Amino acid sequence: GRSLLAQLIAAGAKVVIADPHFAPIDPKSGEDWRPIASRLHMPPAVKINQIADMLAWFCNDELQKRLDMRQRGERWGNPIFLYVDELPAIAAKMPNVSELLAHVLREGRKVDVLLIAAAQDFLVKTLGGSGAVRDCYRTAFYVGGDAQTARVLLDVRGNVDDGNLGKGVVMLRTGNRQAQLARVPYANNESIYRLLGDGSGSGSQVGSEVGSETPVAMPTEPLDVRSERVREMVASGVSFNEIVATVWGVKTKGQSYQNAMSELRGVLAQLVR
């Protein structure tokens, strides 16, 4: 999930998260979500009332606003993604969640209102709704877990997990194509920092907080300060190379330069929203 969301944000998409178990830094695994959380369209929804409000806004208000704009021939802006994690836990407290999400799955694609859902199983008895709703998901990744979910979600027979799934190896189904083994980026904290920055605004050496991963030197300025400096320099016609040299302190075109340019692209995507 982190790898996909970080790439979407870096590409300029808007992202919102509904996750009752969300934590900025997972105390057990050390996964650092701060770089993503600092660039969300709105703060993560964690409490069930927050999640209910976010889903109602996303599945009704935001979707309808864009549909109305489409009808008037107006552009509706960048794609927006709702990432829902721990879906069974949400469904247990919100019986109507399946129908809310089904509305987005059926109507949202034409106006770039898109859904990503993660769950330990996608069985109807767990989530409610119907199998027809589940079939609306165009892409499915399976990394192990419930075998019955694998069969219905991937449309395959027998056991699809021989014990080799996980850590970048998945079963992937896209559209009506037969599911097959695939590799996806396996994100760690360092890769997320390189793509988005550390998200904390607390200075360099942020890797020291997450165990054995290599510390990554990051700009010492908070994201909002960097963004404002970039905004002023772009308005003054300063080149991207000069911006990287001034704001990120990188003048040679090596790996550090590429990392800084990646962060600059992320900042520019935020500024044009």
Side-chain angles (χ1 to χ4, degrees):
R2 281 199 309 163
S3 176
L4 180 56
L5 296 181
Q7 291 176 72
L8 288 173
I9 290 171
K14 298 177 181 179
V15 173
V16 294
I17 292 178
D19 179 4
H21 297 164
F22 179 85
I25 301 179
D26 189 309
K28 183 177 180 179
S29 67
E31 286 188 351
D32 191 345
W33 284 77
R34 294 174 301 170
I36 292 171
S38 68
R39 296 191 179 203
L40 293 176
H41 187 56
M42 59 181 62
V46 179
K47 303 296 184 183
I48 194 62
N49 61 321
Q50 297 172 340
I51 292 173
D53 289 344
M54 176 176 284
L55 293 182
W57 165 79
F58 185 87
C59 301
N60 295 321
D61 299 346
E62 179 67 14
L63 175 56
Q64 190 58 53
K65 181 188 76 173
R66 290 182 177 223
L67 289 172
D68 291 343
M69 294 177 73
R70 180 177 184 271
Q71 191 174 43
R72 295 193 299 267
E74 300 172 359
R75 298 183 65 86
W76 49 80
N78 291 4
I80 184 166
F81 289 79
L82 167 63
Y83 176 72
V84 182
D85 204 353
E86 303 294 344
L87 187 52
I90 296 173
K93 297 182 179 180
M94 286 184 59
N96 68 328
V97 66
S98 183
E99 289 307 315
L100 276 173
L101 300 182
H103 183 47
V104 171
L105 290 169
R106 295 184 183 114
E107 301 291 334
R109 192 176 300 114
K110 62 175 65 73
V111 288
D112 298 325
V113 176
L114 304 162
L115 173 67
I116 304 169
Q120 293 179 346
D121 78 68
F122 275 84
L123 302 181
V124 171
K125 66 180 182 181
T126 302
L127 303 180
S130 67
V133 172
R134 182 180 55 220
D135 293 341
C136 290
Y137 288 97
R138 300 289 295 169
T139 302
F141 293 96
Y142 178 72
V143 296
D146 182 71
Q148 178 63 17
T149 289
R151 286 190 285 271
V152 298
L153 201 60
L154 302 177
D155 191 23
V156 296
R157 296 180 179 180
N159 184 16
V160 301
D161 184 3
D162 59 3
N164 293 320
L165 298 181
K167 294 188 176 181
V169 180
V170 303
M171 286 294 293
L172 169 65
R173 188 216 76 213
T174 56
N176 295 322
R177 296 180 181 178
Q178 183 177 3
Q180 58 187 328
L181 278 173
R183 289 189 177 273
V184 295
Y186 182 56
N188 61 9
N189 288 339
E190 182 178 353
S191 66
I192 301 298
Y193 300 151
R194 289 186 181 277
L195 187 60
L196 298 179
D198 75 329
S200 69
S202 58
S204 62
Q205 303 299 314
V206 294
S208 62
E209 297 184 22
V210 291
S212 60
E213 294 189 355
T214 303
V216 181
M218 303 303 300
T220 56
E221 295 177 331
L223 177 62
D224 57 344
V225 175
R226 277 181 278 156
S227 297
E228 189 56 35
R229 292 188 69 193
V230 169
R231 185 196 301 275
E232 293 172 356
M233 296 178 78
V234 169
S236 300
V238 178
S239 72
F240 288 172
N241 287 339
E242 292 178 85
I243 293 175
V244 166
T246 302
V247 179
W248 277 265
V250 178
K251 298 181 180 179
T252 57
K253 293 189 177 182
Q255 185 60 52
S256 296
Y257 175 85
Q258 296 299 324
N259 296 340
M261 285 298 294
S262 177
E263 288 193 32
L264 174 59
R265 286 192 292 270
V267 172
L268 292 173
Q270 296 290 319
L271 296 180
V272 300
R273 291 184 180 183

